[in-house]
Amino acid sequence: MIVMKFGGSSLANAERIRHVAGIVKAHLDRQPILVLSAMGDTTDHLLGAGETALKEGRLSFQGIIDLHRRAAEDLQLGEGSMQEITSLLDELRDLLMGISLLRELTGRTRDYLVSFGERLSVRIVASYLTKEGLRAHPLDAWDAGFLSDSNFTSAELLEESWSLIPARLLDPALEGSLPVVTGFIAKDEGGNITTLGRGGSDLSATMIGASCGAEEVQVWKDVDGILTADPNLVKKARVVDTISYEAASELAYFGAQVLHPRAMQPCIKTGTMVRVKNSYNPSVEGTRIMPAQGGKIPPIQAITSRKNVTLIDIVSSRMLGQHGFLGEVFTIFARGGISVDMVATSEVSVSLTVDSHYDLAQVRRELLGIASVEIKTGKAIVSIIGDVRRSSEILSRTFRICELLGIQVQMVSQGASKVNNSFIVDQGEAAEVVRGLHEEFFEEDPDSPKGVK
Ligand code: ASP
Ligand code: MG
């Protein structure tokens, strides 16, 4: 059995859905379970409609209606499915009406709102597959065993899901049918709809794959796989053929928007292979994500950069030979609900980075009570995902490139994950550094296998 997950851009319209049906048919012998995202940018549009209802008190979701109706008509779905789609769209209208009247949009309501994207897409696709002669069966995540906590907008799946999901999806009653499951959403114990965070349908797919003992989880995207660098920055970026779960997670977190950062977690537990494939280019092998194989991994697998980073330098002579100082610092960040990404410390200072979207006013005030603080915005994290056991070589070549480019490295950290060397530069310099490093590690010898020079 395999899991096949299709993202929004693979399901953008009727034509893309027909294409996806073709890919699914080609894999029927492997008894797929499908996991789907919302069609195209529907999640963004739903959030937009929610904001308009909240701020302007009016309904604006004609685009969402048109996209789904048009796809359903174009795919010539039967009367029954048209009715189901209409009734979901009516429910959506009622919800938006409620938001516009109450002028209130909590995390809980927002999750209910965005759930319509996936609920609509599984019905449209399953109905089309049925029309094509497959025994497809649309399932909302809660009917497929997805039980989460109540942390709306970025819920975590509860441990029970590990047994609930296979109990539902491997139920003999479903034998011989093709389950089409909503990605991204779940329900909490109170029966409220939750979501697993943006891009969360990857996690839905890996969770099904890991808990049901799938042979592999195929994540179908609109790119050929995980690339050695962002192709918008580096023309010669190429597909990485094999990468470890840890490296893939670091890549996801530090800027490569290929997979949801938490998506690897279920498969790390079970060793289930994940394969990133391109629905626009299905014959390409894609990237295999699997347990690290000692020794075989090239020194560098990918380079990524993440912008909108703020660097905070905290200096205090009180830190000298003291205990508890770092504890105080991190408590201040924790109280502010601020996630710290990179950290480096010396005897009298600690530097750390956070995403720039956080408001740091309160944290700054509290930090000033114990140290001197400097906050520098407009930074970028450049991450080199590779084998940290070869970090001396990697770092010496990296710093030589930075020196040649005249770029000042402002902080360095080597992750305990053993796959990530990261450093901070000015945001405006990130693209140049990534290009320089890509050339250094991947381009000089075009005949060498990936990354090995
Ligand atoms: N539709 C959701 C989003 O756009 C989930 C996903 O695509 O994975 O974030
Ligand atoms: Mg999406």
Side-chain angles (χ1 to χ4, degrees):
M1 187 267 274
I2 60 170
V3 176
M4 302 177 80
K5 182 253 159 174
F6 292 91
S9 85
S10 303
L11 303 165
N13 52 42
E15 192 204 324
R16 297 302 309 158
I17 291 174
R18 277 193 206 97
H19 181 73
V20 162
I23 296 176
V24 172
K25 281 184 192 165
H27 288 80
L28 281 184
D29 57 325
R30 299 180 77 185
Q31 294 163 289
I33 293 178
L34 304 195
V35 176
L36 306 184
S37 292
M39 288 178 66
D41 295 326
T42 298
T43 307
D44 290 327
H45 295 150
L46 285 164
L47 289 169
E51 285 305 303
T52 308
L54 174 70
K55 300 218 172 96
E56 298 168 33
R58 61 185 179 88
L59 303 194
S60 71
F61 72 126
Q62 194 57 43
I64 298 170
I65 300 178
D66 291 346
L67 176 77
H68 293 90
R69 282 251 165 81
R70 214 176 288 143
E73 280 162 18
D74 195 331
L75 295 168
Q76 300 181 314
L77 304 186
E79 195 48 44
S81 353
M82 284 312 231
Q83 261 164 23
E84 252 187 299
I85 291 158
T86 303
S87 95
L88 275 174
L89 290 169
D90 287 346
E91 189 186 336
L92 171 60
R93 170 190 305 273
D94 291 346
L95 174 61
L96 288 168
M97 190 73 90
I99 297 168
S100 72
L101 290 173
L102 295 173
R103 295 296 186 96
E104 197 178 86
L105 182 50
T106 58
R108 169 163 130 179
T109 307
R110 195 165 274 152
D111 279 356
Y112 175 27
L113 173 64
V114 292
S115 75
F116 284 93
E118 274 70 11
R119 288 155 76 196
L120 284 161
S121 75
V122 295
R123 284 171 176 80
I124 291 175
V125 172
S127 160
Y128 178 66
L129 291 171
T130 302
K131 208 181 128 233
E132 288 291 286
L134 309 183
R135 286 187 51 215
H137 195 88
L139 278 168
D140 289 321
W142 42 89
D143 294 325
F146 280 82
L147 187 66
S148 78
D149 62 18
S150 306
N151 190 2
F152 296 106
T153 75
S154 60
E156 300 251 6
L157 292 173
L158 298 184
E159 209 47 41
E160 288 102 296
S161 301
W162 280 91
S163 52
L164 287 171
I165 293 171
R168 296 290 170 84
L169 290 178
L170 304 180
D171 184 338
L174 280 178
E175 175 101 42
S177 81
L178 173 67
V180 184
V181 186
T182 55
F184 183 45
I185 58 180
K187 269 189 181 173
D188 69 6
E189 284 171 310
N192 302 295
I193 297 178
T194 59
T195 65
L196 309 177
R198 292 306 305 269
S201 43
D202 291 340
L203 177 57
S204 311
T206 53
M207 188 60 195
I208 292 178
S211 65
C212 295
E215 215 178 303
E216 74 178 32
V217 178
Q218 300 179 343
V219 179
W220 292 82
K221 302 255 162 187
D222 56 1
V223 289
D224 280 343
I226 293 181
L227 300 179
T228 50
D230 178 350
N232 296 315
L233 295 182
V234 180
K235 278 202 208 71
K236 291 187 180 163
R238 60 175 186 241
V239 177
V240 178
D241 59 7
T242 307
I243 192 166
S244 68
Y245 299 121
E246 292 74 15
S249 308
E250 294 278 334
L251 264 176
Y253 192 68
F254 286 103
Q257 313 254 282
V258 180
L259 286 169
H260 186 282
R262 282 193 282 134
M264 292 309 122
Q265 286 171 5
C267 291
I268 289 176
K269 284 197 189 165
T270 55
T272 310
M273 194 207 289
V274 179
R275 193 191 283 274
V276 181
K277 300 266 296 173
N278 189 352
S279 71
Y280 288 79
N281 196 5
S283 61
V284 170
E285 276 297 303
T287 300
R288 287 179 306 161
I289 310 173
M290 47 203 261
Q293 303 159 305
K296 280 192 201 144
I297 294 181
I300 297 272
Q301 294 175 295
I303 302 158
T304 165
S305 62
R306 172 162 144 187
K307 289 193 185 171
N308 298 320
V309 170
T310 297
L311 175 61
I312 306 165
D313 287 329
I314 301 159
V315 182
S316 169
S317 51
R318 259 188 58 204
M319 220 176 129
L320 204 67
Q322 278 297 327
H323 50 79
F325 183 80
L326 286 177
E328 275 180 64
V329 167
F330 286 108
T331 305
I332 291 172
F333 282 92
R335 258 205 304 275
I338 293 172
S339 158
V340 173
D341 293 324
M342 274 174 68
V343 186
T345 75
S346 76
E347 197 41 48
V348 292
S349 74
V350 45
S351 297
L352 44 84
T353 70
V354 301
D355 196 272
S356 329
H357 78 269
Y358 290 116
D359 177 1
L360 294 173
Q362 177 62 21
V363 161
R364 184 169 174 276
R365 266 193 298 279
E366 291 186 36
L367 286 173
L368 281 173
I370 57 168
S372 69
V373 180
E374 219 183 312
I375 295 181
K376 303 166 183 167
T377 55
K379 305 294 172 190
I381 298 178
V382 176
S383 298
I384 303 172
I385 308 298
D387 185 351
V388 173
R389 281 168 306 182
R390 292 174 68 174
S391 63
S392 301
E393 176 200 341
I394 294 169
L395 289 175
S396 79
R397 284 164 72 183
T398 298
F399 291 144
R400 192 176 57 83
I401 296 297
C402 291
E403 192 189 351
L404 287 174
L405 294 171
I407 286 170
Q408 205 56 38
V409 172
Q410 299 170 34
M411 173 180 162
V412 185
S413 128
Q414 175 174 310
S417 60
K418 305 282 179 255
V419 294
N420 181 352
N421 280 296
S422 289
F423 58 94
I424 299 290
V425 295
D426 277 336
Q427 187 159 297
E429 297 169 340
E432 206 184 340
V433 176
V434 171
R435 274 194 286 269
L437 291 176
H438 197 272
E439 201 172 309
E440 164 71 14
F441 286 106
F442 294 105
E443 294 170 31
E444 279 183 357
D445 180 358
D447 296 328
S448 79
K450 302 206 162 45
V452 186
K453 273 180 36 182

